[in-house]
Amino acid sequence: MTDHYDALESRAPAAREQALMAALPRQIAHARQASPAFAEILADVDPDTVTSRQALARLPVTRKSQLLERQQALRADNPFGGFSALAFGAQMPRVFSSPGGIYEPEGCGRDYWRMARAIHAAGFRSGELVHNSFSYHFVPAGAMMETGAQALGCTVFAAGTGQTEQQVQAMAELRPAGYIGTPSFLRILMEKAQSLGQDLPSLHKALVSGEAFPPSLRDWLAERGVQAYQCYATADLGLIAYETCAREGLVVDENVIVEIVRPGTGDPVPDGEVGELVVTTLNPGYPLVRFGTGDLSAVLPGDCPTGRTNTRIKGWMGRADQTTKVRGMFVHPAQVNQVVQRFDQVLRARLVVRGEMANDSMELQVETLDTDPALLRQIGECVRDLTKLRCDVQPLAPGQLPNDGVVIEDARSYR
């Protein structure tokens, strides 16, 4: 697994940087010309002057919340808020919806989301069958992985989510070379197979994403014969970084420019310091420039032992805006505030996420004088309606919650 997907992965860092910086002004000019949103955001920018990371750092950061606001404001005339350079029809085969009501366009072309590189690094090869348990409904995850696997020369079983017994049966009968999906669902499938007395002899490798992948779960899978590797991708950007067999951070994809900035700003931090991941993509169909992911990470020093020479990052280290993922779903501070607003009896609230990644749980701590079980049940139902996740509700006396501005506390261990 030390062989590379292509020669780009092992080129000299100076050659890569020269190529990226040569492509950058062209991409900015294209974004201004083809994307009404960036025509406005970058109105005062001369693309020909943006030929270095220092120049790039002077451009504004566009965050997901701003993208959503523009989409909502322009929805009647432009459902993508003016960010897409594609139009409905042959150049846009599919449209997806990300959590939070953001619509994402999919363009044409082989491996549009660039996932083949990560799938290859996880050990998959042409001629193999892949069991894809990412969702094919609303979100692009299933399609992202399917098109990447097909570009690699693999056949894909479109399993999607749920139906665990049927998925175990399909794995036993079709004998896929490996699994692609969230790590927690892979554990669920393997535990279901064990409870059914069903062996999965062909399952030896996996590419996982969509949630944190702690070493404890990685080791649990390895003990059962599955070597699982992770990648980091989003519905807006496609592949950003991927793990290799060295298991030393994630190697950045060849078609994005990654910056780590101080949360809430656009200012790059020194290498090694934790900050928000900001990405500029070279995708002409959805030309996002300095797109703030809201995710925390940091640059790792040195090159990957596999010979891949691109920058490495530590991977996902939390959310800059306290948004977190629970069982593969984003939970936002705004959703907690919505609960408070719906119940006059609740003064303040704090959502605490605990447990292991494959079996995490949520508890909403609420300051209230009313501890009626019926009220607490209604609050829990409200949380489930908003987040699609179950939640325990813990009443606290007024003043018991810390006055620290934390709305969502991620108390899980990622070590």
Side-chain angles (χ1 to χ4, degrees):
M1 286 176 56
T2 56
D3 60 315
H4 302 150
Y5 179 68
D6 57 25
L8 296 177
E9 295 182 356
S10 58
R11 56 183 163 168
R16 176 183 294 105
E17 189 71 2
Q18 183 179 22
L20 290 174
M21 292 305 108
L24 181 57
R26 296 195 298 267
Q27 180 71 342
I28 291 173
H30 170 69
R32 280 169 39 107
Q33 188 275 327
S35 161
F38 279 111
E40 179 182 335
I41 294 169
L42 304 176
D44 298 327
V45 175
D46 179 358
D48 291 337
T49 66
V50 189
T51 57
S52 67
R53 289 181 181 267
Q54 292 76 19
L56 178 62
R58 290 193 286 269
L59 304 186
V61 173
T62 298
R63 292 188 165 81
K64 191 180 285 281
S65 59
Q66 295 168 291
L67 190 152
L68 176 59
E69 289 171 3
R70 283 178 177 266
Q71 284 200 3
Q72 291 174 332
L74 300 175
R75 189 142 290 166
D77 301 313
N78 190 318
F80 303 107
F83 286 96
S84 175
L86 305 172
F88 290 149
Q91 62 181 216
M92 189 190 299
R94 288 179 285 199
V95 175
F96 296 99
S97 176
S98 295
I102 295 176
Y103 293 108
E104 314 281 2
E106 180 187 60
C108 298
R110 177 179 176 273
D111 194 18
Y112 173 78
W113 306 93
R114 310 180 313 282
M115 296 305 306
R117 189 178 302 280
I119 297 170
H120 180 274
F124 292 88
R125 296 295 181 266
S126 178
E128 294 181 333
L129 175 65
V130 174
H131 187 98
N132 183 12
S133 283
F134 272 116
S135 177
Y136 283 79
H137 179 65
F138 268 63
V139 298
M144 291 169 73
M145 294 297 184
E146 179 173 290
T147 54
Q150 290 171 343
L152 194 61
C154 298
T155 297
V156 177
F157 179 72
T161 58
Q163 297 177 293
T164 54
E165 288 195 22
Q166 292 93 326
Q167 293 212 31
V168 168
Q169 180 182 0
M171 282 181 164
E173 294 176 348
L174 292 174
R175 294 176 176 261
Y179 163 97
I180 293 179
T182 64
S184 60
F185 191 61
L186 175 56
R187 177 169 181 166
I188 288 170
L189 288 176
M190 294 178 69
E191 289 177 335
K192 174 60 72 172
Q194 183 179 17
S195 71
L196 295 172
Q198 180 65 67
D199 292 331
L200 301 175
S202 69
L203 191 64
H204 297 298
K205 54 194 172 190
L207 177 66
V208 299
S209 191
E211 58 191 24
F213 185 40
S216 59
L217 181 50
R218 179 199 65 200
D219 294 344
W220 187 94
L221 294 171
E223 289 167 2
R224 289 153 181 81
V226 179
Q227 295 297 321
Y229 297 88
Q230 61 182 313
C231 71
Y232 172 46
T234 73
D236 324 274
L237 300 159
L239 180 66
I240 298 172
Y242 59 97
E243 190 175 23
T244 73
C245 60
R247 296 198 184 278
E248 294 184 7
L250 306 183
V251 178
V252 171
D253 179 52
E254 297 293 329
N255 288 282
V256 295
I257 300 171
V258 164
E259 303 170 86
I260 307 291
V261 307
R262 190 159 288 106
T265 77
D267 303 329
V269 300
D271 285 356
E273 186 173 326
V274 176
E276 181 185 6
L277 201 70
V278 170
V279 180
T280 297
T281 175
L282 300 181
N283 177 5
Y286 204 34
L288 299 176
V289 176
R290 296 206 88 200
F291 186 74
T293 64
D295 291 330
L296 297 175
S297 193
V299 170
L300 285 173
D303 293 338
C304 180
T306 64
R308 294 171 174 89
T309 58
N310 207 349
T311 301
R312 296 180 302 164
I313 59 174
K314 289 187 177 180
W316 185 79
M317 300 177 68
R319 294 286 294 176
D321 63 357
Q322 296 184 40
T323 297
T324 190
K325 273 186 177 178
V326 182
R327 296 182 179 271
M329 298 288 291
F330 279 116
V331 181
H332 304 274
Q335 292 171 315
V336 178
N337 292 331
Q338 281 181 273
V339 175
V340 176
Q341 292 169 2
R342 291 187 185 185
F343 295 90
D344 294 337
Q345 303 95 322
V346 176
L347 305 177
R348 289 199 300 157
R350 179 190 190 111
L351 188 68
V352 181
V353 185
R354 297 190 177 92
E356 298 178 357
M357 185 52 58
N359 189 32
D360 42 23
S361 62
M362 300 195 312
E363 178 185 84
L364 186 68
Q365 300 175 346
V366 296
E367 289 187 354
T368 179
L369 293 172
D370 189 344
T371 58
D372 185 346
L375 171 65
L376 303 182
R377 188 164 52 250
Q378 291 173 5
I379 293 172
E381 292 171 354
C382 179
V383 174
R384 186 172 59 189
D385 289 343
L386 291 170
T387 67
K388 313 305 179 189
L389 296 163
R390 289 188 176 88
C391 178
D392 295 327
V393 179
Q394 175 65 44
L396 300 175
Q400 276 196 272
L401 285 176
N403 185 24
D404 56 8
V406 174
V407 179
I408 299 179
E409 177 187 349
D410 193 339
R412 296 171 292 194
S413 173
Y414 296 105
R415 297 185 179 183

